Structures are given as C-alpha cells and as structure tokens.
C-alpha cells in the first residue's frame, strides 16, 4: 500500500537559497521533526504550541497531480519539513519523476535516504542527532546554520566522508541575519576567506516574501523555534 504523507503546506515559489537560488520550485513541506531546533523557521511543523488545526494526509499520486496542476513544466520539486527523511519518499519521487520533474530534498540527514532523489541538501544539526554517514556521502550541498560563531566548526565536524564536489554553505540563522548580527556575519566572512571551499549564504526568499504569495502557504505567525523572544 502506498504511504500517505502528512502535508503541512505546499506552495509554488522559487528556491531562495543554495546552488539553485532563484529557480522556480514547488515546495512540499511535510509535518513532524524530532530535532526541535531552538531557532527553527518552520516551527509550525513540530512545536506543540503552534500545531495547525489539521494536517492533510496525501498519497503520492495525489501530490503529483497537485504539483502538475499548480506549477508549470520545468519547475523542480523540493521536499522539505519538518524532517522529510523520516518518510519513505520512494513512491512520491517515482510519481514526480513520472511528470519529468526533478526532485530535491532538504534534510538534517538523520535516517537513510529512500527514493531516487535528484538533489540532496543536507543541513546538519550538531547539537541534536548527527546525519547518517550515507547521507553525508550522498549530499550535493550542505547548509550549516550559524546562530553562534561556534556553529561553523560544529557543523563542519559532522561532515566526515563528504564528497569533494559538494558545496558547503554557511547561512546566518534568520534572526541573526534579520538583525544584522555582526559577530555571526563577520565570522561567516572570515571563514569563507580562510577556506575558499565554503560559501556565504542567505535566505533571499525572505526578503521577497515570495512564499507568502501562494495561497497554500502557511500564513500563521509562528515565531522562530516557537520562541517569541526570537521574533519572526
């Protein structure tokens, strides 16, 4: 029996970060995550105080039909969360490949990958569960979230076995980027200057508020990590 996926939200926008920055993309955000990042910018997918009224369960072909109806050919699909790697994505990936769509995943890598994914973005969480070695080895790009200066090295420490051609991004955590925290931003700059393999990243879609333009995106004001002191 084909699995049914808990869809927190789905929306057509463009990729706001990483190697595919600026490209049209359909996002499928699945519900549920055990990492509970204290600054998570999708806390509505797991935080007990910000649970949605309901989460729709959708089959693989049902989701593929939605993607086909709500985005044009050529737009790739990003499966994110929450933590999407917890689900068997093989049926969903197969259904999306049936539309000739490339399928990407954004994950902390805490379980084995399932399904013939075309692109793997790994965002390790060194303070929580580290990524599986098999996911590190498969990653096309890595996104290290920098809330404190120490997060740069902590993130790099999780990447043993990363292939040489994988891109490593250093992203300021959104509250630090929003508030122009010079300690974090300068640390990223110095790290990139010291190791040319690293790249400085940013969440460009938040400047455009691009995701909000789709009717299906979650419009609830959920604070970062569910913590109102961090803001939105």
């Amino acid at each position: 029996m084909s699995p049914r996926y808990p869809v927190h939200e789905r929306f057509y926008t463009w990729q706001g970060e990483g190697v595919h920055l600026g490209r049209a993309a359909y996002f499928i955000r699945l519900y549920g995550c055990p990492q509970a990042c204290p600054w998570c910018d999708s806390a509505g997918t797991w935080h007990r105080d910000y649970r949605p009224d309901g989460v729709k369960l959708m089959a693989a072909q049902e989701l593929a039909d939605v993607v086909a109806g709500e985005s044009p050919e050529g737009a790739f699909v990003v499966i994110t969360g929450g933590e999407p790697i917890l689900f068997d994505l093989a049926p969903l990936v197969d259904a999306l490949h049936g539309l000739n769509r490339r399928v990407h995943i954004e994950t902390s890598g805490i379980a084995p990958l399932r399904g013939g994914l075309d692109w793997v973005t790994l965002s390790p969480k060194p303070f929580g569960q580290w990524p599986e070695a098999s996911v590190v080895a498969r990653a096309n790009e890595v996104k290290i979230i920098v809330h404190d200066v120490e997060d740069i090295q902590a993130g790099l420490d999780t990447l043993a076995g990363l292939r040489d051609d994988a891109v490593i991004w250093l992203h300021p955590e959104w509250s630090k980027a929003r508030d122009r925290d010079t300690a974090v931003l300068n640390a990223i700059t110095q790290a990139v200057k010291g190791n040319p393999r690293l790249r400085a990243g940013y969440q460009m879609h938040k400047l455009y508020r691009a995701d909000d333009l789709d009717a299906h995106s979650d419009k609830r004001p959920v604070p970062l990590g569910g913590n109102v002191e961090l803001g939105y």
Side-chain angles (χ1 to χ4, degrees):
M1 180 178 294
S2 179
R4 295 170 66 83
Y5 302 96
V7 180
H8 177 75
E9 60 177 339
R10 64 183 201 272
F11 51 92
Y12 180 47
T13 182
W14 45 268
Q15 175 60 275
E17 54 199 41
V19 171
H20 296 280
L21 172 65
R23 292 185 56 201
Y26 194 97
F27 277 73
I28 298 172
R29 187 181 303 282
L30 301 182
Y31 185 86
C33 181
Q35 296 282 53
C37 300
W39 33 255
C40 175
D41 63 359
S42 301
T45 62
W46 58 268
H47 198 287
R48 64 182 181 182
D49 294 336
Y50 297 97
R51 291 172 179 156
D53 293 335
V55 176
K56 186 173 183 179
L57 297 177
M58 301 181 71
Q61 191 57 55
E62 183 182 8
L63 271 169
D65 291 343
V66 165
V67 169
E70 296 180 355
S71 63
E73 293 184 15
F76 62 92
V77 179
V78 180
I79 305 173
T80 185
E83 181 43 80
I85 209 169
L86 299 178
F87 303 95
D88 181 3
L89 299 178
L92 178 56
V93 173
D94 289 346
L96 293 168
H97 280 167
L99 303 176
N100 293 318
R101 301 298 184 100
R102 290 181 61 82
V103 186
H104 298 197
I105 188 173
E106 297 181 350
T107 177
S108 64
I110 60 175
L113 288 163
R114 289 175 283 182
L117 293 148
D118 299 296
W119 187 268
V120 176
T121 299
L122 171 64
S123 184
K125 305 300 187 291
F127 53 82
Q129 186 175 345
W130 280 31
E132 297 255 342
S134 61
V135 184
V136 175
R138 173 66 179 79
N140 299 97
E141 64 178 345
V142 174
K143 181 175 63 176
I144 295 173
I145 308 301
V146 185
H147 179 81
D148 297 303
V149 172
E150 296 79 11
D151 293 338
I152 297 175
Q153 188 58 52
L156 293 172
D157 288 344
T158 69
L159 301 179
L162 184 70
R163 57 202 238 190
D164 291 340
D165 62 347
V167 178
I168 304 174
W169 298 93
L170 303 180
H171 272 257
E173 182 269 310
W174 179 244
S175 71
K176 302 295 185 176
R178 180 197 64 209
D179 298 339
R180 299 181 181 179
D181 185 295
T182 55
V184 165
L185 298 179
N186 289 348
I188 291 173
T189 294
Q190 292 304 320
V192 171
K193 290 167 68 176
N195 181 356
R197 183 179 181 183
L198 306 179
R199 299 189 192 181
Y202 203 79
Q203 294 178 297
M204 291 296 293
H205 59 290
K206 293 195 174 182
L207 298 180
Y208 283 75
R209 299 191 64 136
D211 301 353
D212 293 345
L213 298 179
D214 191 287
H216 298 296
S217 65
D218 186 3
K219 306 296 194 300
R220 296 177 304 141
V222 179
L224 298 168
N227 182 356
V228 294
E229 293 183 3
L230 286 182
Y232 300 86

